[in-house]
Amino acid sequence: REDRLGANHVYFLPYLMGERSPINDTNARGTFLGMTMDTARADLTQAVLEGVAFAIRDSVEVARSLGIEINSSKLCGGGARSPLWRRILANVLNITLESPASEQGPGMGGAMLAAVACGEYPDVVAAAKSIVKVVDTVEPDPELVEKYNARYEQFRKIYPTVKALFPQIS
């Protein structure tokens, strides 16, 4: 629901199979928090999308803390087809997201590397510029970025608070 972006009352920890970087906790589990009698299926769906975006942001923040500047990225795969997912992710990460024409990210990357190795292109950058065609771009909305920054700060508090419970329920 577009009107609920940045204002959902439900949070989701997306650690359905434990969590790798940056948490590195095999006992971590998926968790919904903040549900009420008024929580609708749409709120839960949005919480899942936001929770995954927040977990991705955890890793992006590690890169940023190392001085790596991330202003944009390309998004491919099945989830990239969702305009809602693209909008949430662009605003949670505060980056421009580009959708390439081909959803075959890993396969396309492998083909580009092979083309460079065969001498078709001088380097990977040249291959990507020639082969990858962007068909959609989502820019972050400053108002939503601000809302998602606040929600991300709340999200970051959930795991440390419930961490000790996970080994007990595994």
Side-chain angles (χ1 to χ4, degrees):
R1 296 174 12 195
E2 293 285 326
D3 62 320
R4 301 280 301 156
L5 291 183
N8 192 5
H9 61 278
V10 180
Y11 288 85
F12 177 67
L13 293 184
Y15 312 141
L16 300 176
M17 296 173 56
E19 181 64 351
R20 293 173 296 245
S21 183
I23 291 172
N24 297 316
D25 183 355
T26 58
N27 291 313
R29 295 293 179 257
T31 306
F32 281 103
L33 182 72
M35 293 185 295
T36 67
M37 288 184 57
D38 297 326
T39 299
R41 179 180 285 179
D43 299 319
L44 296 174
T45 301
Q46 182 177 330
V48 169
L49 295 173
E50 290 171 341
V52 172
F54 290 143
I56 292 170
R57 180 167 170 180
D58 281 343
S59 293
V60 168
E61 291 301 328
V62 169
R64 287 175 173 156
S65 75
L66 298 172
I68 299 170
E69 190 174 323
I70 302 171
N71 298 313
S72 67
S73 186
K74 293 192 175 35
L75 184 65
C76 62
R81 288 185 225 138
S82 167
L84 178 62
W85 170 241
R86 292 191 309 261
R87 187 156 184 230
I88 289 171
L89 199 54
N91 286 289
V92 167
L93 300 178
N94 191 20
I95 63 172
T96 300
L97 282 180
E98 299 174 330
S99 298
S102 171
E103 293 179 12
Q104 305 305 318
M108 182 67 73
M112 285 191 293
L113 292 174
V116 171
C118 292
E120 188 68 28
Y121 297 96
D123 54 43
V124 175
V125 172
K129 284 182 180 178
S130 176
I131 296 170
V132 178
K133 306 296 182 214
V134 173
V135 294
D136 186 43
T137 302
V138 178
E139 298 287 342
D141 173 327
E143 186 177 317
L144 280 178
V145 168
E146 186 176 328
K147 288 180 180 181
Y148 274 124
N149 283 341
R151 283 189 49 78
Y152 176 67
E153 290 307 313
Q154 292 299 318
F155 173 86
R156 291 183 59 217
K157 295 175 186 175
I158 298 169
Y159 170 76
T161 302
V162 298
K163 177 183 178 177
L165 295 173
F166 291 135
Q168 298 172 35
I169 63 173
S170 291

